[in-house]
Amino acid sequence: MSVANEAALAKGVRPGMALAAAYALAHTLRVKQRDPLSEAEALRALAAWAGQFTPNVTIEDGAGLLLEVSGSLKLFGGIAPILRALRAGMSELGFTAAIAAAVTARAAWWLARSGKETLAQHLDELPAKLAALPIDVLAWPGEALTTLQALGVNTLGEAMALPRDGFARRFGQRLLDQLDQARGRLADPRSYFVPPEQFRSRLELPAAVEQASALLFATRRLLVELGGYLRARTCGVQQFRLRLEHDDAPFTELVFNLVAPGHDEAHLALLARERFDQLVLRAPVYQITLEADTLVALAGASLTLFHDHYSTDTDWNKLVERLRARLGHAAVHGLTIVAEHRPEYAVRRAELTEPRKAPQRAVTSPVDRPLWLLTTPRPLVEVDAKPYLRGPLALVAGPERIESGWWDGHDVRRDYFIAQDIDRSLLWVYRDPAAAGWFLHGLFA
């Protein structure tokens, strides 16, 4: 079977035409052999993506999809918004599609095969809409179609007008049942597509890409597919991988880690763009593969009567993820307080995905601690037994004795004071009896 796109049809090229005749009409014609395996893979990917509209998706005749959306109408606000979303999504994925909707699955399928985007929401509309369709939309065996045409039957209406008994004897009960199923006179059960447990999709590029930034368009298509797959399963991902395939070099793998599970393809595309802006390709890329092995079930969000922009962490999480994509995962992290008397060990680095706790002082202290500690305490000059920094420091609180760490070899013995500088700023200083000197360790303001 051959097909032609709109540009070829405009030149006069028709399906089934000999290649020599087609080239005579359009000398720039590009001919590609069909790849059944790739087509089947694309249909399965589209079925997984379409699951966001309904869990009842069927791959029909290996050539298209049937979606049973009666249970989704209230959720999406009717059939029209669903059709608009399908058209927009198919366009983003790089596909063109003929979309039709009818009260029976087979009628919808035949209307779509005709190329007419028809909407038949009521059973009494079906006879008139089906009657005008050519019998080619039936996809029946060639012998049956040839016999019908020999009898002068060229439309579906003419086929349905034939005597039922004679039709069944000549063409078989199965084909007669299909006519009844299309008109809603007979049940039409189907087996629904079951999406895979893990997501994996690949896209072969039309030409090798040498600049990483040029990969964003193709990557966005894969992410749209991932977003639909995740929404269909009410899940998010906290990690996904992009594998860039090269001809003469090992593949390049980019791993994306999220602060919280998500499925927003627009945000995921922003993360990919940040990484691509920093990436220098080792060799041209000819294929991209997107993988997400672990899915995380998303809990429903509790809504309030009045929306509070600051009541969720969504924007904060997205900011952290973009910073990590731009600066590297290790460059952005959290801090947590631990039960430790020594100031330099009281705060440690923490992963942002760790459960958050209400801030609290890990060790009770009679003296307030500054938020800004110097990496290395700075020695101070001692004048008249007092610390000196641009002038004598006034000791306004203290001392606080900290003596700890003998078990790990980093033991300290210090007397801490709050001191006031000549410009009235507050400093945190200590005296080390062993070193017989004063040190500046922190700043209050």
Side-chain angles (χ1 to χ4, degrees):
M1 187 181 89
S2 59
V3 294
N5 63 9
E6 293 182 1
L9 292 173
K11 293 284 188 179
V13 177
R14 295 293 180 266
M17 180 180 289
L19 279 180
Y23 277 122
L25 293 172
H27 65 277
T28 58
L29 184 69
R30 294 180 60 187
V31 178
K32 294 191 68 176
Q33 294 293 329
R34 293 187 62 180
D35 184 348
L37 292 178
S38 296
E39 290 180 12
E41 183 180 352
L43 268 179
R44 288 193 295 270
L46 285 174
W49 171 84
Q52 64 186 298
F53 301 101
T54 171
N56 303 329
V57 179
T58 303
I59 297 178
E60 188 74 6
D61 293 342
L65 302 178
L66 275 174
L67 281 66
E68 200 286 298
V69 296
S70 59
S72 305
L73 295 178
K74 183 175 291 186
L75 176 64
F76 287 91
I79 187 64
I82 294 178
L83 296 180
R84 285 197 299 269
L86 281 169
R87 291 190 186 97
M90 295 290 285
S91 177
E92 283 188 287
L93 290 170
F95 293 96
T96 56
I99 303 176
V103 291
T104 68
R106 197 166 296 278
W109 178 241
W110 288 347
L111 289 168
R113 282 182 59 88
S114 73
K116 299 177 180 179
E117 297 196 356
T118 308
L119 179 61
Q121 293 183 275
H122 304 286
L123 203 59
D124 55 6
E125 298 179 63
L126 287 181
K129 291 184 180 295
L130 293 174
L133 299 180
I135 59 174
D136 292 341
V137 305
L138 301 176
W140 284 353
E143 293 180 2
L145 294 178
T146 301
T147 302
L148 285 171
Q149 290 173 339
L151 294 173
V153 176
N154 296 303
T155 66
L156 194 52
E158 293 169 345
M160 290 187 293
L162 294 174
R164 293 178 59 84
D165 291 343
F167 188 100
R169 287 195 303 270
R170 176 166 293 187
F171 301 105
Q173 186 64 39
R174 184 177 66 86
L175 300 188
L176 181 62
D177 288 346
Q178 289 186 11
L179 294 177
D180 289 340
Q181 288 167 346
R183 289 177 286 185
R185 297 178 178 178
L186 193 65
D188 190 9
R190 281 176 164 76
S191 298
Y192 297 123
F193 172 78
V194 178
E197 292 297 321
Q198 298 175 332
F199 180 87
R200 186 179 187 276
S201 184
R202 63 182 177 87
L203 182 63
E204 187 173 344
L205 303 178
V209 174
E210 298 182 357
Q211 299 294 327
S213 58
L215 297 171
L216 184 60
F217 179 77
T219 301
R220 187 179 287 112
R221 286 180 53 180
L222 293 173
L223 291 172
V224 169
E225 187 180 326
L226 172 64
Y229 167 85
L230 293 173
R231 282 189 289 274
R233 299 177 64 90
T234 321
C235 289
V237 290
Q238 203 154 356
Q239 183 189 88
F240 66 94
R241 300 185 304 278
L242 280 176
R243 177 176 292 188
L244 312 179
E245 304 282 352
H246 311 286
D247 272 328
D248 302 319
F251 64 84
T252 300
E253 185 173 75
L254 304 178
V255 180
F256 296 80
N257 293 292
L258 308 184
V259 176
H263 55 60
D264 180 6
E265 57 263 29
H267 175 61
L268 300 183
L270 280 176
L271 301 183
R273 187 182 69 181
E274 297 287 359
R275 292 290 290 275
F276 287 152
D277 287 344
Q278 310 296 322
L279 180 64
V280 177
L281 296 176
R282 66 180 70 178
V285 178
Y286 73 91
Q287 181 175 284
I288 306 176
T289 301
L290 175 61
E291 297 177 335
D293 296 333
T294 304
L295 308 185
V296 182
L298 296 180
S302 299
L303 302 180
T304 58
L305 180 61
F306 301 103
H307 176 67
D308 180 5
H309 179 73
Y310 300 100
S311 62
T312 68
D313 294 331
T314 303
D315 293 338
W316 167 252
N317 291 339
K318 289 182 177 180
L319 173 62
V320 171
E321 290 161 3
R322 289 194 64 184
L323 289 174
R324 282 184 164 179
R326 180 177 299 182
L327 305 175
H329 185 85
V332 184
H333 58 81
L335 297 174
T336 187
I337 299 174
V338 297
E340 172 61 60
H341 290 277
R342 292 168 294 179
E344 55 266 43
Y345 298 111
V347 177
R348 68 170 176 85
R349 175 174 173 162
E351 187 57 48
L352 290 171
T353 54
E354 292 182 12
R356 299 182 182 179
K357 299 178 181 179
Q360 58 183 356
R361 191 179 301 281
V363 178
T364 304
S365 171
V367 180
D368 289 335
R369 300 285 179 89
L371 291 178
W372 185 3
L373 289 181
L374 303 183
T375 304
T376 303
R378 175 182 171 182
L380 297 174
V381 176
E382 183 176 345
V383 179
D384 295 332
K386 289 186 178 181
Y388 189 94
L389 179 67
R390 299 183 301 171
L393 300 180
L395 304 181
V396 297
E400 176 195 3
R401 169 63 61 90
I402 295 180
E403 187 171 358
S404 181
W406 53 267
W407 57 88
D408 60 10
H410 298 285
D411 53 315
V412 300
R413 185 169 179 266
R414 303 166 180 168
D415 292 325
Y416 279 90
F417 297 84
I418 296 179
Q420 191 174 65
D421 199 354
I422 57 175
D423 60 2
R424 307 188 68 81
S425 59
L426 296 179
L427 313 174
W428 204 39
V429 301
Y430 71 83
R431 188 174 187 278
D432 187 343
W438 289 88
F439 296 84
L440 172 64
H441 202 179
L443 307 175
F444 285 95

